[in-house]
Amino acid sequence: MTSAIPTAESQHQDPDKKKKRKKRFFFFFLLAGIGIGLLLYFFRDQIPMLGHKKEGVVEYDVTYPDIEEGNMMAAGLPDEAKYYFKGNKTITSLSGMMGMIEIGFITDEETKTAKQSLVVFTNKYVAELNEGGVNKMNAGFVKEIQLVEGETKKIADLKCNKAKAILENGKEIDIWYTTEIGNPGVNWSNPYSQIKGVLMEFEIEKYGIAMKLVAKKVLKDPVPDEQFSVPGDYKKMPIEELENIMKTLNPVK
């Protein structure tokens, strides 16, 4: 008759078997974790949340819908723009007259502050704005925005959604934006704050000039933190004074 009472030898073997089983489970989960990690890495661009880029640069072509082609007075206007984004911060940068004029707009969604900078030859200016100042700057351009469901297209290799805007002057324009890069609230500081995505094709008016921007390239390069600061040699002034200087630079008034 076999005894149901475990012997000293069986009591000694059971803990060893448990240890071996624990080791096997540990290595199994370790290998599974590595495998899943590799799959997520190699297919990150096919999975929207993993391929989402929160840092980089969008390059745009800039045209002027209200200026006749060949207008010599407009030859010095910017034909390219760059949009830097990193976390909650963005910069929109334009330059004209072969780099002798540079305009920058730095924003911080977290603090709801912005800085408008201007370089004219060797003169450097900057105006600091709070949320109220930003809203005042953007007032009077867009009257109404309507999101268009189900209509998409590719711009700079990114899937873009459509919106329609009615401007205060009655003009109707199409807006295209992407949610594959940046943060949902990136537009808090421009007239299209209702749109939750990076603008890829849109129109804007600054200092009496209507500009159309169409993205041509998205760079995934890292953006240094110092890019979002203004050097100390810029002269601080109220935004009204800075805007007056910009208006005098308009070659097609």
Side-chain angles (χ1 to χ4, degrees):
M1 183 176 178
T2 304
S3 174
I5 301 173
T7 64
E9 183 178 357
S10 64
Q11 286 179 327
H12 177 72
Q13 289 177 346
D14 286 345
D16 290 339
K17 290 181 180 179
K18 289 179 180 179
K19 286 180 181 179
K20 288 179 181 179
R21 282 198 295 270
K22 286 181 180 179
K23 285 182 179 180
R24 285 197 294 269
F25 279 121
F26 173 78
F27 284 116
F28 170 78
F29 285 116
L30 179 63
L31 290 172
I34 293 172
I36 292 171
L38 289 172
L39 284 172
L40 293 177
Y41 176 79
F42 286 114
F43 291 95
R44 63 192 183 281
D45 290 330
Q46 280 70 50
I47 305 174
M49 290 304 295
L50 296 175
H52 194 94
K53 304 296 180 184
K54 296 202 172 184
E55 181 176 5
V57 185
V58 182
E59 295 184 353
Y60 299 87
D61 282 326
V62 181
T63 55
Y64 299 87
D66 298 336
I67 299 176
E68 292 182 9
E69 190 174 349
N71 187 328
M72 295 301 295
M73 295 300 292
L77 293 173
D79 59 3
E80 289 185 330
K82 290 185 179 181
Y83 175 80
Y84 302 83
F85 61 95
K86 183 176 185 178
N88 296 315
K89 297 180 180 180
T90 69
I91 307 171
T92 303
S93 173
L94 301 98
S95 64
M97 295 182 65
M98 300 180 66
M100 290 185 285
I101 296 176
E102 296 179 5
I103 301 171
F105 192 57
I106 304 173
T107 75
D108 188 329
E109 183 192 357
E110 186 175 356
T111 61
K112 291 293 190 291
T113 57
K115 294 178 182 179
Q116 177 76 70
S117 65
L118 171 66
V119 177
V120 184
F121 301 104
T122 58
N123 299 309
K124 302 175 181 180
Y125 310 102
V126 63
E128 298 180 354
L129 299 98
N130 57 21
E131 186 174 10
V134 171
N135 292 339
K136 183 179 178 181
M137 176 187 287
N138 292 324
F141 180 65
V142 175
K143 183 178 181 180
E144 183 182 343
I145 294 176
Q146 298 175 345
L147 302 182
V148 179
E149 298 292 337
E151 196 166 341
T152 65
K153 72 174 181 178
K154 286 262 188 175
I155 301 177
D157 293 326
L158 294 180
K159 179 183 175 182
C160 296
N161 302 311
K162 186 178 182 180
K164 284 187 172 292
I166 302 175
L167 307 185
E168 287 290 351
N169 62 12
K171 183 179 180 180
E172 294 187 17
I173 60 172
D174 292 339
I175 308 295
W176 294 91
Y177 64 97
T178 183
T179 58
E180 294 186 355
I181 57 175
N183 286 325
V186 293
N187 297 318
W188 77 271
S189 57
N190 67 50
Y192 300 104
S193 57
Q194 293 174 247
I195 295 177
K196 305 304 180 185
V198 173
L199 302 174
M200 300 291 281
E201 182 177 327
F202 64 104
E203 289 188 24
I204 193 78
E205 184 177 309
K206 285 290 184 183
Y207 317 112
I209 302 177
M211 298 181 288
K212 182 174 182 177
L213 288 80
V214 180
K216 60 180 179 178
K217 186 187 299 184
V218 177
L219 306 176
K220 301 175 182 178
D221 302 335
V223 181
D225 290 335
E226 54 267 26
Q227 189 92 17
F228 300 93
S229 60
V230 176
D233 60 343
Y234 279 59
K235 179 182 178 181
K236 291 184 179 181
M237 61 172 54
I239 186 62
E240 292 81 9
E241 291 184 25
L242 186 54
E243 288 184 328
N244 285 335
I245 295 174
M246 289 185 174
K247 288 175 184 177
T248 64
L249 300 172
N250 183 350
V252 288
K253 291 179 285 187

